[in-house]
Amino acid sequence: MRPVHISLAVLVAAVWGVNFTVIEVGLDHFPPLLFSALRFLAAAVPAVFFVGRPKVAWKWIVGVGLALGVAKFGLLFIAMDAGMPAGLSSLVIQIQAVFTAVFAFAFLGERPGRVRLYGMAVALAGVGLAAVDEGTSGPLGAFGLVVAAAACWGVSNVLTRKASPPDPLNFMVWVSTVPVLPLLGLSLLTEGPSRDLDALENLDLQGAGVVVYVAWITTVFGFGAWGWLLHRHPASTVAPFSLLVPVFGMSSAALFLHESVGPLRWAAAALLVGGVALTSRMPRKVQSADVPAPERAGAPA
């Protein structure tokens, strides 16, 4: 990769990592489900008017929208609102690579090789170590919600592979239109109209900036740049940069939110990131720039 392309890949990883800190700030302004709904509303509008018509069947757009937008992000935002630290969330959510491999084997017949199985075991050991660390200092239930969110992300990854969208940015923008109404409905039912209205009436510049970041910077710029890189380089070259996400996530949370990161958490990070690296390793025969973008290693959403 050219130095400018390497810089772009690192920038995208930094944007996605810092996103967890921004979410933590946003949860001070909005209830979690309303915040998630606003994120997808801002990501879809006005972008949906510029990306053209959907290039895949609506069943895939709706399926990924529900699994990724409603389930994955809904659970993640609720977990962080319940006390799950931003830095740890950025780390644990990477277990999605293991869930993706398991679901791909169950529903797509993709058999994981020995190296991937070793990687899954190492990553699970990292999650277990992180659970021990969190269990001594924070809400273990919120930790479990992040693991559940990672499982939902794995489902959306498998659905995305089945959809095989030729234009990842077009696909992501249309997917962003799906979760808005379900999340708003769930927010009204569980968080209450008065809480939602109060958050919207008291919207300030920081709250608006948080929505812009998680929608336009993280989603539109992040996925657009990542898709651009995947169209120009083999997945085996681009995908490893996503392993920088928890590094930036934990570092930004420590810097801006003053979250402590002890030796046990760093050990968990080393195991999980190493395991995900092995789990995400593509077989030699498909490590080629000719592999279509949806078939390549995924990126954080």
Side-chain angles (χ1 to χ4, degrees), residues 224-289:
W226 194 260
W228 186 87
L229 288 169
L230 282 174
H231 278 292
R232 285 158 179 78
H233 302 281
S236 57
T237 301
V238 178
F241 286 95
S242 68
L243 297 178
L244 294 174
V245 171
V247 176
F248 285 111
M250 295 175 70
S251 300
S252 63
L255 180 62
F256 297 109
L257 303 177
H258 307 293
E259 291 184 3
S260 61
V261 184
L264 196 62
R265 189 162 299 181
W266 281 119
L271 287 173
L272 205 156
V273 171
V276 168
L278 291 174
T279 303
S280 303
R281 181 177 177 271
M282 297 180 67
R284 287 183 180 275
K285 64 181 180 180
V286 297
Q287 287 182 351
S288 167

Side-chain angles (χ1 to χ4, degrees), residues 76-158:
L76 175 63
F77 280 36
I78 290 172
M80 293 180 65
D81 188 60
M84 183 69 173
L88 187 59
S89 297
S90 72
L91 174 66
V92 174
I93 200 72
Q94 302 305 320
I95 198 66
Q96 60 84 20
V98 174
F99 285 113
T100 300
V102 171
F103 296 149
F105 170 69
F107 300 106
L108 302 180
E110 297 181 5
R111 292 185 174 273
R114 183 177 299 177
V115 173
R116 282 189 174 182
L117 290 174
Y118 289 153
M120 291 165 65
V122 172
L124 289 173
V127 169
L129 193 59
V132 171
D133 182 38
E134 181 65 9
T136 62
S137 60
L140 200 55
F143 184 98
L145 288 178
V146 176
V147 175
C152 295
W153 190 1
V155 171
S156 74
N157 286 339
V158 171

Side-chain angles (χ1 to χ4, degrees), residues 29-115:
H29 295 266
F30 309 102
L33 292 177
L34 175 64
F35 184 21
S36 189
L38 292 175
R39 176 256 173 102
F40 284 105
L41 177 62
V45 180
V48 72
F49 299 111
F50 298 98
V51 297
R53 297 170 61 86
K55 295 178 172 57
V56 299
W58 270 101
K59 64 179 181 179
W60 302 121
I61 293 173
V62 172
V64 174
L66 293 177
L68 182 69
V70 179
K72 184 254 183 174
F73 278 103
L75 290 171
L76 175 63
F77 280 36
I78 290 172
M80 293 180 65
D81 188 60
M84 183 69 173
L88 187 59
S89 297
S90 72
L91 174 66
V92 174
I93 200 72
Q94 302 305 320
I95 198 66
Q96 60 84 20
V98 174
F99 285 113
T100 300
V102 171
F103 296 149
F105 170 69
F107 300 106
L108 302 180
E110 297 181 5
R111 292 185 174 273
R114 183 177 299 177
V115 173

